[in-house]
Amino acid sequence: MFNAALAQGRYVTDELRMFQETARRFMQTEVAPHVLRWDEQGHVDRELWYKAAELGLLCPSIPTEYGGGGGDLAYEKVLVEEQGRAGCSAWGLSLHNGIVAHYILAYGTEAQKQAWLPKLASGELVGAIAMTEPGTGSDLQSVRTTAIADGDEYVVNGQKVFITNGQQAGLIIVVAKTDPNEKAKGISLVVVETDKVSGFRRGRNLEKVGMHGQDTSELFFENVRIPKANLLGKGEGMGFVQLMEQLPQERLIVAWAAVAAMELALDLTTQYVKDRKAFGKRVIDFQNTRFQLAQARTEATLARVFVERCTEMLLDKKLDVVTAAMAKYWTTDKQFEIADLCLQLHGGYGYMDEYPISRLWRDSRVQRIYGGTNEIMKELIGRFL
Ligand SMILES: Cc1cc2nc3c(=O)[nH]c(=O)nc-3n(C[C@H](O)[C@H](O)[C@H](O)COP(=O)(O)OP(=O)(O)OC[C@H]3O[C@@H](n4cnc5c(N)ncnc54)[C@H](O)[C@@H]3O)c2cc1C
């Protein structure tokens, strides 16, 4: 349709292509057929994690000595794209693989990496990261959850909300204040293994506008005692810096999903307008339809090319905060616009649950909110002008 070389990062290897085939087969056979059922039950099946682990789809970018696949983050991109192609927003795989495991890889001690990464790679533990609280989301420095030292332990108290994988997670990276008198400098990341503690409670799996199959939960910590050895990193007070270092990667993951969703929406809609007739013509024969789709396809291609370049930067460890913020905000705004246009071009059918475009539209909305809202992305970019 357009020069595919435009949209091909330099990092693609034969091995990555083989991994993509495995991922695609898995997503089409083990994921796509269950999407509607997961929407109803509000979470994916716990067994899905084990099935994925058998094929090496958990932690493919973690070194083999810790049970991972030994690849780089391009493997995570492949998974995000193939999951998107399967029309599944339910599975918090990219968060488990691309975010939680990478915090541990980046900041964990050798003992922490040996203890946790193999379990994340085998599916024995599902990972989550708990930053957001009822009273604060964007303003992370103001978290109120505390992890106060007491002998060889930390005592964790607080409440988190909107936590992806919250119901299934066995390992939660909690953003907490080890020094409540400080703002950013008081923040540390501590790991709670849910089946090893008391005082931890999961609240509601929240009902949402979209992403109905994704488990997004409230979490409560009441005098939860964890060993001091569960602090991530070399000392207390490093949490904010660690978050800032990892957020560009997290934001690019959101952008990968945005591009995959835009492309799927355009593929589905192009087919639909070729099949659907009105006033004796195909809907694609109206100039308005062609112009709108031409513009959207151009924008999706721009998004793809930008994100491929960002991926190369990420793989070279050169992706900076500003570029990642640009990618996150622009691609997710475009995703929403394009999903809306595509729904419109489906007419009334676009509003029906049985048409996949309705799900793509619903699910696109939150992309502008999580991973840092798009306003915060503009703030970050603005600061460097
Ligand atoms: C489905 C879903 C999954 C999520 N998963 C997770 C997860 O796994 N872990 C986790 O920790 N969190 C998660 N979140 C939370 C998400 O990251 C936050 O909702 C988001 O960061 C925004 O925080 P908030 O909701 O408190 O909004 P607020 O921070 O209260 O923002 C409200 C509005 O004010 C704007 N605003 C705030 N500050 C500024 C500013 N300085 N300048 C301009 N505008 C501003 C915001 O852009 C927004 O429009 C998830 C959220 C959802 C909906």
Side-chain angles (χ1 to χ4, degrees):
M1 181 189 311
F2 58 87
N3 186 349
L6 262 181
Q8 166 123 357
R10 285 197 307 262
Y11 54 85
V12 178
T13 59
D14 286 346
E15 209 180 313
L16 189 67
R17 282 198 197 93
M18 272 161 57
F19 180 78
Q20 181 176 29
E21 274 170 34
T22 307
R24 184 168 298 176
R25 224 174 304 120
F26 184 84
M27 296 294 177
Q28 295 301 330
T29 56
E30 300 292 342
V31 172
H34 303 289
V35 159
L36 291 176
R37 185 170 59 78
W38 292 337
D39 266 8
E40 275 163 33
Q41 77 183 17
H43 55 86
V44 299
D45 300 330
R46 183 63 180 83
E47 299 73 54
L48 180 67
W49 298 93
Y50 293 113
K51 284 187 191 164
E54 274 169 32
L55 288 177
L57 304 184
L58 297 192
C59 301
S61 61
I62 294 296
T64 48
E65 66 255 42
Y66 304 121
D72 57 23
L73 285 159
Y75 286 75
E76 306 301 347
K77 175 169 178 282
V78 161
L79 287 175
V80 169
E81 291 179 343
E82 292 306 325
Q83 187 179 337
R85 214 187 290 265
C88 173
S89 60
W91 193 14
L93 177 66
S94 60
L95 184 113
H96 172 98
N97 275 357
I99 299 174
V100 175
H102 276 270
Y103 270 95
I104 294 170
L105 183 67
Y107 306 114
T109 60
E110 191 52 35
Q112 288 173 336
K113 290 189 235 185
Q114 294 287 356
W116 294 323
L117 290 173
K119 290 183 182 171
L120 290 171
S122 70
E124 188 181 333
L125 287 176
V126 171
I129 180 155
M131 308 181 209
T132 310
E133 301 183 350
T136 194
S138 304
D139 180 13
L140 264 180
Q141 300 185 17
S142 300
V143 290
R144 296 180 63 179
T145 299
T146 51
I148 303 298
D150 182 25
D152 290 344
E153 294 176 320
Y154 286 112
V155 185
V156 184
N157 276 291
Q159 182 180 345
K160 297 287 178 180
V161 74
F162 307 148
I163 306 306
T164 304
N165 294 340
Q167 296 294 319
Q168 295 190 336
L171 181 151
I172 305 174
I173 300 177
V174 180
V175 177
K177 287 264 170 86
T178 37
D179 183 350
N181 298 318
E182 289 282 358
K183 291 209 67 153
K185 283 186 195 152
I187 293 183
S188 300
L189 306 184
V190 294
V191 171
V192 172
E193 283 181 273
T194 61
D195 64 356
K196 293 194 176 164
V197 296
S198 59
F200 167 72
R201 188 164 64 78
R202 301 174 210 267
R204 288 176 302 151
N205 184 2
L206 301 158
E207 288 181 13
K208 304 183 287 297
V209 170
M211 290 191 158
H212 294 151
Q214 193 199 83
D215 139 23
T216 311
S217 302
E218 298 171 315
L219 303 176
F220 299 92
F221 303 85
E222 211 178 303
N223 293 322
V224 173
R225 289 187 164 269
I226 54 168
K228 266 201 168 162
N230 284 19
L231 174 76
L232 262 192
K234 293 198 167 60
E236 292 179 5
M238 296 303 295
F240 199 74
V241 175
Q242 292 163 342
L243 288 164
M244 293 305 114
E245 284 173 358
Q246 292 295 310
L247 279 170
Q249 179 167 323
E250 177 175 348
R251 288 173 181 152
L252 191 59
I253 291 175
V254 176
W256 290 340
V259 174
M262 277 183 231
E263 291 173 346
L264 178 62
L266 285 167
D267 290 348
L268 291 169
T269 307
T270 307
Q271 192 54 54
Y272 185 83
V273 296
K274 284 181 181 170
D275 294 339
R276 179 78 178 167
K277 291 213 169 64
F279 297 94
K281 293 177 171 181
R282 299 177 310 163
V283 172
I284 198 170
D285 294 328
F286 299 112
Q287 192 188 48
N288 175 63
T289 308
R290 288 197 308 277
F291 276 22
Q292 298 254 36
L293 285 177
Q295 182 176 335
R297 186 59 87 169
T298 305
E299 288 170 337
T301 306
L302 290 173
R304 161 68 65 190
V305 174
F306 182 40
V307 160
E308 290 298 334
R309 183 74 192 101
C310 290
T311 305
E312 290 170 356
M313 290 168 77
L314 178 76
L315 295 172
D316 292 342
K317 304 207 183 317
K318 290 188 177 146
L319 183 66
D320 57 281
V321 170
V322 173
T323 311
M326 289 175 175
K328 195 272 174 181
Y329 115 71
W330 194 76
T331 58
T332 57
D333 273 5
K334 276 296 155 211
Q335 176 191 357
F336 184 67
E337 267 175 43
I338 289 177
D340 195 57
L341 165 72
C342 289
L343 187 150
Q344 187 71 16
L345 290 174
H346 276 73
Y349 291 100
Y351 203 65
M352 298 299 123
D353 277 351
E354 64 203 271
Y355 280 75
I357 192 64
S358 67
R359 170 196 307 279
L360 286 169
W361 178 74
R362 275 200 312 263
D363 293 350
S364 65
R365 187 63 187 85
V366 74
Q367 288 260 96
R368 298 163 62 198
I369 296 172
Y370 58 27
T373 67
N374 286 4
E375 291 73 30
I376 295 294
M377 296 305 103
K378 289 179 194 172
E379 268 296 314
L380 288 171
I381 301 162
R383 263 180 228 164
F384 286 85
L385 293 177

